[in-house]
Amino acid sequence: MPELPEVESARAVIERWALNRMIVDVDDSDTYECRPHRPGQIGEALVGRTLSAAHRRGKSMWVDTSGGGPVLGIHLGMSGKIVIGDGDGTEIDGGDYWERGRKPGDHRFSRFGVTFEDGGSLLLIDPRRLGRVRLDPPVEKLGPDAQFIKPDAFRGLLASSGAPVKARLMDQDRIAGIGNLLADQILWAARISPSRPADELDPDEVARLLRATRAAIRDAIAQGGVHTLKVVPYRKKSARCPRDRAPMAQGTVGGRTTWWCSQEQA
């Protein structure tokens, strides 16, 4: 499932390859992916414009359009990729990590598409069909981005709740962008139990958690996604912590399957 680093890779692909190209056609016929819009409504708003700037907060992404046009919101869901193509068949993509990869030209799960005047295209490829494309999304409802959250805001979101710290980190209204794998990496790196009440963390633990958050996001963006983070391969039965070789423990925290070091995060 795409988390902040995967969505950032999709945003960067749009920023580098899709901006300032005139839109001549839009395929918005998937009424579920493009809800609540009727077929053709997004196309009517975009044709004749260009995409002018790509933004992200947490796992949500949106793109400005030229001439004061509407904002195009794109959510990758649980399996989405953005694919930018040129007329000669060259493609570049960003978004969710697929273990088996995606071959150029494989558009079987295209749910939304934009065609540019130069013959190129932008596609949302989404096998699980849980993404979403909409005009003028309510991004103002999202919490601060996990990559850029300020220390005071980070301390405040933890101190104001007795919920398990993992659940608090994954609350998108409070801090946007941290999903299940990223949360497990952050808590493992900070040596903090995922079930600890957030408001019981002392100042040193909060500072350690913020450093771990920034490091995990930075590393995942640089290395190509959350699947590259150090603890992720050890989230399985019979695995041992890569740091101290203690058995990895597994349970449910905040409704999500969670793995932690049985010794250092007890």
Side-chain angles (χ1 to χ4, degrees):
M1 177 177 178
E3 300 191 31
L4 184 158
E6 287 78 14
V7 179
E8 174 58 24
S9 76
R11 187 209 66 82
V13 164
I14 293 174
E15 182 175 74
R16 183 170 182 182
W17 299 100
L19 300 187
N20 304 312
R21 301 169 74 175
M22 183 63 65
I23 298 169
V24 296
D25 193 22
V26 173
D27 177 6
D28 58 1
S29 57
D30 189 316
T31 55
Y32 183 73
E33 202 94 351
C34 297
R35 65 193 187 278
H37 306 292
R38 59 171 171 77
Q41 187 176 2
I42 298 177
E44 291 167 2
L46 297 185
V47 169
R49 300 184 186 275
T50 64
L51 305 177
S52 56
H55 310 277
R56 180 196 55 75
R57 186 185 300 175
K59 305 179 200 178
S60 295
M61 176 171 53
W62 65 98
V63 187
D64 297 335
T65 61
S66 62
V71 173
L72 178 66
I74 304 174
H75 198 285
L76 300 180
M78 295 186 71
S79 61
K81 281 183 177 291
I82 294 295
V83 177
I84 309 294
D86 284 333
D88 61 2
T90 303
E91 292 183 351
I92 185 169
D93 64 36
D96 193 30
Y97 167 71
W98 295 358
E99 188 173 354
R100 296 183 179 180
R102 186 195 66 86
K103 294 181 179 179
D106 183 358
H107 303 156
R108 288 174 295 165
F109 303 107
S110 178
R111 310 298 184 186
F112 174 81
V114 168
T115 301
F116 299 116
E117 187 176 40
D118 59 15
S121 61
L122 178 155
L123 301 176
L124 171 59
I125 307 294
D126 182 15
R128 299 186 66 177
R129 203 180 176 218
L130 293 171
R132 192 171 183 185
V133 178
R134 63 186 300 190
L135 299 174
D136 299 319
V139 295
E140 69 280 354
K141 295 182 179 180
L142 295 168
D145 188 274
Q147 185 180 8
F148 304 113
I149 190 169
K150 303 296 185 183
D152 286 349
F154 190 76
R155 286 191 292 268
L157 78 91
L158 296 172
S160 60
S161 175
V165 62
K166 179 175 179 177
R168 199 61 170 169
L169 288 176
M170 294 181 62
D171 185 343
Q172 303 302 304
D173 292 335
R174 299 292 182 175
I175 178 170
I178 299 175
N180 200 33
L181 300 187
L182 197 53
D184 279 2
Q185 169 68 30
I186 290 166
L187 291 161
W188 175 81
R191 296 176 169 84
I192 292 172
S193 168
S195 59
R196 279 277 300 280
D199 60 359
E200 293 184 3
L201 299 182
D202 65 37
D204 287 343
E205 290 173 317
V206 172
R208 199 162 72 233
L209 194 63
L210 179 57
R211 289 195 299 271
T213 298
R214 290 174 169 169
I217 293 171
R218 181 184 64 245
D219 291 348
I221 290 174
Q223 296 167 12
V226 295
H227 67 284
T228 66
L229 294 173
K230 189 169 184 178
V231 83
V232 171
Y234 301 92
R235 297 175 77 256
K236 59 186 179 182
K237 293 181 179 179
S238 302
R240 291 186 172 273
C241 172
R243 188 167 49 220
D244 67 4
R245 307 305 299 167
M248 292 293 289
Q250 185 264 330
T252 300
V253 179
R256 302 300 298 273
T257 299
T258 301
W259 293 84
W260 64 94
C261 174
S262 60
Q263 180 169 305
E264 293 184 323
Q265 293 175 267

